[in-house]
Amino acid sequence: MKRLFLLALLIMSVGMSYAQINTDQVMLTGRNALYYEDYVLAIKRFNAVIAAKPYLSEPYFYRGLAKFYLEDYNGAEYDTSIAIDKSPFNARYYSLRALCRINLGSYGKAEEDYAFSLRQNPMEKGSWHNMILCQMEQHKYDEADLALDSMMHLWPAESNQYTMKAQVAMARKDSVTAEAWIDRAISLDEFDGNAWATKSAFLFQREQYAAADSALTRAINQLPRRAALYVNRAMARYQLDDYRGAMSDYDHAIDLDPGNYVAHLNRGLLRSQVNDINHAIEDFNYVLKLDPDNTLLIYNRALLLDKIGDYRGAIRDISTVIRQYPQFWPGYMQRAAIRRKVGDIYGAERDEFAVTKAEMAVRTGTYCATHKSVRKKSSVNIDEYDQLVEDDAKPDEQYLSEIRGKVQNRQSELKCMDDYHLGFYRFNDEASQYVPYSILLDKLNRKYRMEQSVILYGHEQQLDTMLQKLHLERIPVDIASGNGVQAALDYYQVRDLHNSYLTIDSMIVHGSSTEVNDALLYFLRAQVRVAQINVQQSTMKPGDVRLGFINACHDLKTSSRLAPDFPYAAYNRGNILVRMMEYSDAVEAYSEAIRQDSRMPEAYYNRGIAYILMNNIDKGLADLSQAGELGLYQAYSLIKKYSKEKEQKSRKN
């Protein structure tokens, strides 16, 4: 299997001579954060250096490196391109940008970057290796062969280039030449795990399963963390009737790669063959979550559900298969037998009549061959439902290094960030570098003589009992002193939304509604309206919910009109429009917020979500990248997810 060498991009100091010692210190702490794999914090540090000294190339390079590790390849490519513009002869920059471009599928551009990097440093083996892989992706086999000849000239005693020679020959369908190159690689280095893994494929094709098992064991000894090798060895052991060894290998593969589709599927099929029924069903359920339309597996599960007495589940699954394959006669016979068990004689007779009418023989015997049949993962032949699977998909060339604390692997829903609120308490987020503020808050606190300063915050937080008691006791004092804003907020803090709304609504109705400060009154009324909908939505009519959202949007538009430099009103309006599924208008609202404050990460994040909901993945990913750059680490999980979806769609097209 092809793999890319992840370049050992240096994170150590490169002798920067900055004018100010504090900038040096920030760069140092940023590189320290990279070393400890705290990529979000590293981006924050490099942002500060870029803001102070935008003419330097290194902070862009290191920020790009942090984004690369977060799998934000678009953002990393953008940053490394800026670094290259500022320092066009640094080979490291080209190497990193090439890695980004490989992950984005831009193999031609990546090849150009590697070619430039090799002109600067022709002894960089990783660049040779990756450039050749790029050439192979483009089917430029002649160029790949020539490059490999150069590698063999530079490093004649190393086996890796001979293994790659075999890969080129295999791509040309020349298996004889390929195996000769593999044997040459093994003769040079008997500890080359990749060579042994490739050798096992030739042995498996010749049905030399014992030799394939031995070759894969040699490969695993050198590459013990590669799950695919255990899956392949399990296939060889299965052919040798070593079910215990095969099961152990599948278990080990799943320990290394819990989401391994083929390992779960084959382990389930193997468990069903040895009558470990309940555990087999667990494996099938897991695979069907990943691939719910896999009718071959649905039929397997039906057979097992029948064995454990879940007849309704078995009938449901077989019916699903028959809808997909209306001439799958064994399915009709199986369903007829199960229907008789539950007393559905009429349904059973209908199934049996369908088979008789078609005058087709039902396959009930055992298929015999010189070796056990194995189907391709992509096969949809229902007659192969009980065969183990070999993965015929293109090898995954993404970087699978075990990076501690990779935030992009945390599951993030396609859900907007919270509204901004007026209140007294802010939820601390160490990763966030954005503090919402408006001069209107100072004016509000002075005008209404607030006992406790009003602030903007994003994340709603439940108050403890002591704080709730504080606000409850303060409400009568607020009313007696005529401080309506503080009373409305105190009501809001204890979730008395009805009185909070009445208080702020009275101030708007009886006030002049012309002062800039009143922008916050409309903002607060919209905040309370939305909170009321959130609490009561399950009991409200859809029309009333929509009307409530429309009224809240009207308040926020008024707030924006009274205070054109207050971005939080437009941002909250965008959130409401997303909930109303008016995504185009939501994009406009978020864009208005971004024009007013280009450093608001939540606005980019939510606009990215709106774009994705509009099926504009490219713009969505660009916005999510910007949100991640501004410190909103949740963006990287979505970037990873939708980048993969985009790649899968492009492959299908």
Side-chain angles (χ1 to χ4, degrees):
M1 180 183 293
K2 290 186 283 186
R3 69 182 181 89
L4 295 171
F5 286 152
L6 181 59
L7 292 180
L9 294 165
L10 298 178
I11 303 175
M12 301 301 291
S13 174
V14 291
M16 293 175 293
S17 57
Y18 296 137
Q20 298 178 359
I21 187 65
N22 60 342
T23 311
D24 285 340
Q25 186 63 33
V26 173
M27 278 295 295
L28 179 60
T29 58
R31 293 198 304 276
N32 288 342
L34 270 179
Y35 177 81
Y36 287 106
E37 298 166 0
D38 191 346
Y39 305 121
V40 176
L41 179 60
I43 289 173
K44 181 178 179 179
R45 297 289 185 258
F46 300 134
N47 284 344
V49 178
I50 289 169
K53 296 184 176 180
Y55 50 85
L56 295 174
S57 62
E58 288 290 299
Y60 285 100
F61 167 74
Y62 283 120
R63 188 173 73 178
L65 182 57
K67 290 179 180 179
F68 174 83
Y69 283 124
L70 289 165
E71 297 180 34
D72 176 12
Y73 303 120
N74 283 297
E77 182 191 24
Y78 177 78
D79 276 349
T80 49
S81 294
I82 295 176
I84 287 170
D85 288 341
K86 296 179 182 298
S87 181
F89 299 104
N90 192 316
R92 290 185 309 150
Y93 297 177
Y94 289 90
S95 296
L96 176 57
R97 187 171 69 175
L99 288 170
C100 298
R101 288 174 166 175
I102 286 173
N103 283 278
L104 293 170
S106 299
Y107 300 109
K109 291 182 177 180
E111 182 188 354
E112 293 173 4
D113 278 344
Y114 281 125
F116 184 91
S117 177
L118 287 169
R119 285 197 294 272
Q120 303 297 311
N121 183 10
M123 300 302 292
E124 175 52 58
K125 283 187 286 188
S127 294
W128 279 105
H129 179 97
N130 286 358
M131 184 181 72
I132 292 166
L133 289 182
C134 291
Q135 291 167 342
M136 291 175 63
E137 288 286 354
Q138 300 170 82
H139 307 293
K140 296 163 68 173
Y141 302 126
D142 290 340
E143 289 89 334
D145 261 332
L146 288 172
L148 284 165
D149 290 340
S150 298
M151 287 191 74
M152 286 189 286
H153 176 73
L154 292 169
W155 301 283
E158 295 189 13
S159 62
N160 179 63
Q161 47 266 33
Y162 297 92
T163 303
M164 294 186 72
K165 273 280 194 181
Q167 291 176 352
V168 174
M170 291 169 66
R172 286 172 160 160
K173 311 298 184 185
D174 185 355
S175 59
V176 174
T177 302
E179 190 165 11
W181 282 117
I182 282 297
D183 290 340
R184 178 78 179 276
I186 291 173
S187 68
L188 286 171
D189 182 4
E190 61 177 319
F191 300 106
D192 186 337
N194 289 310
W196 282 111
T198 307
K199 178 69 175 179
S200 71
F202 296 117
L203 296 168
F204 203 101
Q205 288 173 358
R206 293 199 294 267
E207 300 178 18
Q208 295 175 328
Y209 302 118
D213 183 349
S214 177
L216 285 163
T217 299
R218 298 288 295 268
I220 287 170
N221 287 339
Q222 303 304 316
L223 304 167
R225 302 292 299 173
R226 190 177 294 182
L229 296 178
Y230 292 92
V231 173
N232 292 343
R233 189 172 68 176
M235 297 291 293
R237 290 179 170 180
Y238 170 75
Q239 299 292 349
L240 295 167
D241 293 327
D242 181 7
Y243 288 0
R244 185 182 298 276
M247 195 77 75
S248 174
D249 275 347
Y250 286 132
D251 289 343
H252 205 131
I254 290 169
D255 287 341
L256 292 171
D257 180 12
N260 193 299
Y261 178 101
V262 173
H264 277 286
L265 176 55
N266 282 356
R267 188 176 70 175
L269 291 168
L270 191 55
R271 282 172 164 175
S272 67
Q273 291 184 27
V274 299
N275 286 319
D276 187 3
I277 306 301
N278 288 307
H279 286 128
I281 291 173
E282 288 179 7
D283 275 331
F284 291 165
N285 287 341
Y286 179 86
V287 176
L288 285 169
K289 286 181 181 179
L290 302 175
D291 185 10
D293 299 324
N294 189 330
T295 47
L296 283 71
L297 187 56
I298 291 171
Y299 186 67
N300 276 285
R301 185 173 67 178
L303 299 179
L304 299 184
L305 292 173
D306 178 24
K307 289 183 178 181
I308 64 172
D310 184 357
Y311 302 127
R312 294 190 182 278
I315 291 171
R316 175 202 64 217
D317 279 354
I318 295 175
S319 299
T320 299
V321 174
I322 289 174
R323 283 194 296 272
Q324 182 70 26
Y325 297 97
Q327 293 185 335
F328 179 50
W329 310 115
Y332 287 90
M333 294 302 296
Q334 187 71 31
R335 187 171 67 177
I338 299 172
R339 281 176 164 171
R340 288 189 179 279
K341 293 178 183 178
V342 297
D344 182 9
I345 305 301
Y346 174 70
E349 290 178 345
R350 277 174 41 195
D351 282 343
E352 292 161 352
F353 178 71
V355 177
T356 302
K357 184 179 178 180
E359 297 181 347
M360 296 185 68
V362 178
R363 181 172 67 88
T364 57
T366 301
Y367 181 75
C368 298
T370 58
H371 64 282
K372 299 180 181 68
S373 298
V374 177
R375 68 178 175 87
K376 297 291 186 181
K377 178 182 172 183
S378 57
S379 172
V380 293
N381 184 353
I382 187 63
D383 291 326
E384 299 175 347
Y385 69 88
D386 57 348
Q387 296 177 10
L388 266 63
V389 170
E390 62 175 338
D391 195 348
D392 58 342
K394 182 181 178 181
D396 187 359
E397 294 177 356
Q398 293 190 354
Y399 306 93
L400 302 177
S401 56
E402 299 294 326
I403 297 178
R404 175 172 53 86
K406 287 173 71 172
V407 296
Q408 77 277 21
N409 287 333
R410 301 174 189 169
Q411 294 298 316
S412 291
E413 300 176 1
L414 196 60
K415 178 182 177 183
C416 288
M417 289 286 130
D418 289 344
D419 293 354
Y420 274 104
H421 307 83
L422 292 176
F424 302 116
Y425 309 100
R426 179 174 289 120
F427 175 75
N428 290 322
D429 184 356
E430 294 180 359
S432 176
Q433 58 198 74
Y434 179 77
V435 178
Y437 171 74
S438 170
I439 195 172
L440 297 182
L441 295 172
D442 294 337
K443 295 179 179 179
L444 180 92
N445 287 314
R446 288 196 301 269
K447 177 178 179 179
Y448 294 102
R449 304 181 306 280
M450 304 300 294
E451 182 177 331
Q452 193 174 357
S453 293
V454 177
I455 61 172
L456 278 162
Y457 63 95
H459 184 76
E460 288 271 33
Q461 190 174 21
Q462 183 68 38
L463 301 186
D464 59 31
T465 304
M466 290 186 62
L467 287 176
Q468 288 182 350
K469 182 179 179 182
L470 167 69
H471 292 290
L472 280 170
E473 292 175 348
R474 200 162 66 185
I475 289 172
V477 179
D478 298 336
I479 295 172
S481 63
N483 193 337
V485 172
Q486 186 160 288
L489 286 170
D490 283 332
Y491 278 127
Y492 184 85
Q493 295 292 340
V494 298
R495 297 300 183 257
D496 185 348
L497 300 177
H498 177 70
N499 280 315
S500 180
Y501 176 82
L502 291 179
T503 303
I504 200 67
D505 183 65
S506 177
M507 292 187 68
I508 291 174
V509 170
H510 296 101
S512 63
S513 297
T514 58
E515 296 184 24
V516 172
N517 285 346
D518 291 336
L520 294 185
L521 301 185
Y522 284 98
F523 182 85
L524 179 55
R525 187 167 70 175
Q527 173 181 323
V528 178
R529 287 187 196 271
V530 172
Q532 289 177 310
I533 294 172
N534 291 340
V535 172
Q536 303 169 10
Q537 187 167 0
S538 61
T539 59
M540 295 172 68
K541 296 179 180 179
D544 292 337
V545 173
R546 182 171 180 81
L547 180 60
F549 281 145
I550 290 173
N551 288 335
C553 280
H554 179 74
D555 277 346
L556 292 168
K557 281 187 176 180
T558 303
S559 178
S560 293
R561 177 175 56 81
L562 292 172
D565 295 328
F566 185 66
Y568 310 100
Y571 168 83
N572 282 6
R573 183 158 49 87
N575 283 1
I576 294 173
L577 291 166
V578 168
R579 293 179 67 176
M580 296 170 70
M581 293 187 289
E582 297 178 6
Y583 304 126
S584 180
D585 290 339
V587 166
E588 291 184 12
Y590 293 132
S591 298
E592 180 182 337
I594 290 168
R595 285 193 296 272
Q596 294 170 5
D597 184 355
S598 62
R599 304 294 297 173
M600 189 195 302
E602 292 87 351
Y604 289 100
Y605 184 94
N606 289 4
R607 189 173 70 174
I609 286 177
Y611 275 129
I612 290 173
L613 291 169
M614 294 167 66
N615 207 30
N616 192 335
I617 305 299
D618 288 333
K619 287 189 175 180
L621 291 175
D623 273 346
L624 290 171
S625 176
Q626 186 64 31
E629 180 179 312
L630 292 172
L632 203 57
Y633 66 85
Q634 294 92 331
Y636 291 107
S637 174
L638 294 181
I639 288 171
K640 179 178 180 179
K641 176 181 179 181
Y642 287 96
S643 293
K644 286 185 176 180
E645 288 193 8
K646 177 185 173 184
E647 181 182 355
Q648 291 169 356
K649 288 180 181 178
S650 65
R651 287 180 178 177
K652 289 180 181 178
N653 294 334

